[in-house]
Amino acid sequence: MNQSVDTKCLHAGWNPTQGEPRQLPIYQSTTFKYDTSEQMGKLFDLEANGYFYSRLQNPTNDYVADKICALEGGTAAMLTSSGQAANFYAIFNICETGDHFIASSAIYGGTYNLFGVTMKKMGIECTFVDNEISEEELDKLFRPNTKCLFGETITNPTVSVYDIEKFAKIAHKHGVPLIIDNTFATPINCRPIEWGCDIVTHSTTKYMDGHASAVGGAIIDSGNFDWLAHADKYPGLCTPDESYHGITFAEKFGKAAYITKATTTLMRDLGSIQAPQNAYYLHIGLESLHVRMARHCSNALAVAKFLEANEKVAWVHYPDLENDKYHALQQKYLPKGSCGVVSFAVKGGRDAAIKFMDSLKFASIVTHVADAKTCLLHPASHTHRQMSDEQLLAAGVEPDLIRFSVGLEDPEDIIADLKQALELI
């Protein structure tokens, strides 16, 4: 039966049969028993399916990954210990020393640092581009060793909307996959695979968990990118892997090749597995995701309209506003609403921003974003403080930008808190 994404939030993934627990069990075990040495040997050779050590796979994790895969409309998925791990694995699964990839400059500061600093030390180069770049300009940046294109559906913290079809077209023109971090939109509001994206990532720590309970990440493969058609670019998938007796992932596993390789090589060697307990918390959060996202969006729109009309506010960015620069793209890709994050600035610069933030009563200053309680931070001072002024401006992060994550409280209470804090500056 073809179910809606709302129903899948509750019923995809874990499907108990007679006598099994209605709620997903937590398989809190590091290891799994087999009757014979031969049975376990087949697992290590990838000749049989099953579990043997939770550093690679765990049943609780896999059932939750299956739910997220169903929500995104993918073919295969895996959980990771964090969103950072998901984005690292997504790139590193197809890149190695000497390779190059292209990413939006407007991405989350931690991801920017991962791509521009840490992976650079590994010999993998990233070129950052403006989301507004023309196809002609972007064409010139592709190299023979360019392996993928990366962006965020809704950028963190600037809440601009990525033109998925535009970048998918360019990526496929050059024979590389498009990878999109869909954390802010969630599959409730946007399913990038339907617009041409090949691989989706998430920080499940955010809206998917929804309650700031557990750190986690996810990678979902559409199964649509033909690795063998570009075999020269992707030797890790398309040539024999000697660590697994010479199997070729793309030939042996077909549409599951990408996730199978990430699990059996990267998770095997780097071990960024999500704890089964955290996966259980995530599973609980996913069951109400469709209900919560609607409230986040309606609350955020009310807050954005209030801020837009307040004389002490310098500017507001929220794509659901009719006069927002990205409203047309929001209507195209996110017609149900974008997310609950609003970025804005108060008049008076950085000092006024700090005074305003410190004057809020229940909106918390925290590193987190996108959960049930309203929270905020000042990216230039917090999440993006490792970036230079030039890098901040290139990413669209102005020194006075405040990232305001609208929660599930009564919108009138949120607005009242904003109003009293604004009156103090």
Side-chain angles (χ1 to χ4, degrees), residues 42 50 54 90 107 127 190 206 247 318 342 345 353 390 396 403:
K42 288 182 178 180
S54 278
I107 55 178
T127 298
C190 182
K206 310 304 189 299
I247 67 167
Y318 187 62
V342 179
E390 292 76 15
R403 185 185 73 185

Side-chain angles (χ1 to χ4, degrees), residues 353-372:
I354 292 170
K355 171 68 174 175
F356 161 77
M357 292 171 65
D358 290 349
S359 300
L360 290 164
K361 300 296 185 183
F362 73 78
S364 304
I365 301 173
V366 297
T367 306
H368 205 233
V369 66
D371 68 47

Side-chain angles (χ1 to χ4, degrees), residues 103-106 128-134 138 162 166-167 325-326 393-396:
S104 164
S105 62
F128 293 101
V129 299
D130 191 286
N131 280 357
E132 305 302 312
I133 191 170
S134 69
L138 187 54
Y162 198 66
K166 165 188 166 181
F167 285 101
K325 179 180 179 180
Y326 294 96
L393 290 172

Side-chain angles (χ1 to χ4, degrees), residues 327-348:
H327 186 64
L329 288 176
Q330 179 265 321
Q331 290 289 290
K332 176 179 179 179
Y333 295 119
L334 303 131
K336 292 166 68 174
S338 57
C339 65
V341 180
V342 179
S343 71
F344 68 98
V346 296
K347 293 176 182 177

Side-chain angles (χ1 to χ4, degrees), residues 32 62 94 102 105 130 146 176 184 204 219 248-250 288 323 329-330 335 350 365 387 391 405-406 425:
F32 301 84
D62 281 0
I94 53 177
I102 300 170
S105 62
D130 191 286
T146 301
V176 304
F184 271 14
T204 62
I219 308 172
T248 299
F249 285 98
S288 64
N323 63 351
L329 288 176
Q330 179 265 321
R350 185 176 294 210
I365 301 173
M387 296 168 66
Q391 289 173 326
S405 179
V406 184
I425 59 171

Side-chain angles (χ1 to χ4, degrees), residues 49-62:
N49 294 322
Y51 301 94
F52 51 92
Y53 197 60
S54 278
R55 189 179 79 238
L56 279 85
Q57 287 178 289
N58 176 282
T60 304
N61 291 23
D62 281 0

Side-chain angles (χ1 to χ4, degrees), residues 399-410:
D400 55 356
L401 185 152
I402 295 169
R403 185 185 73 185
F404 195 78
S405 179
V406 184
L408 302 179
E409 301 93 348
D410 187 312

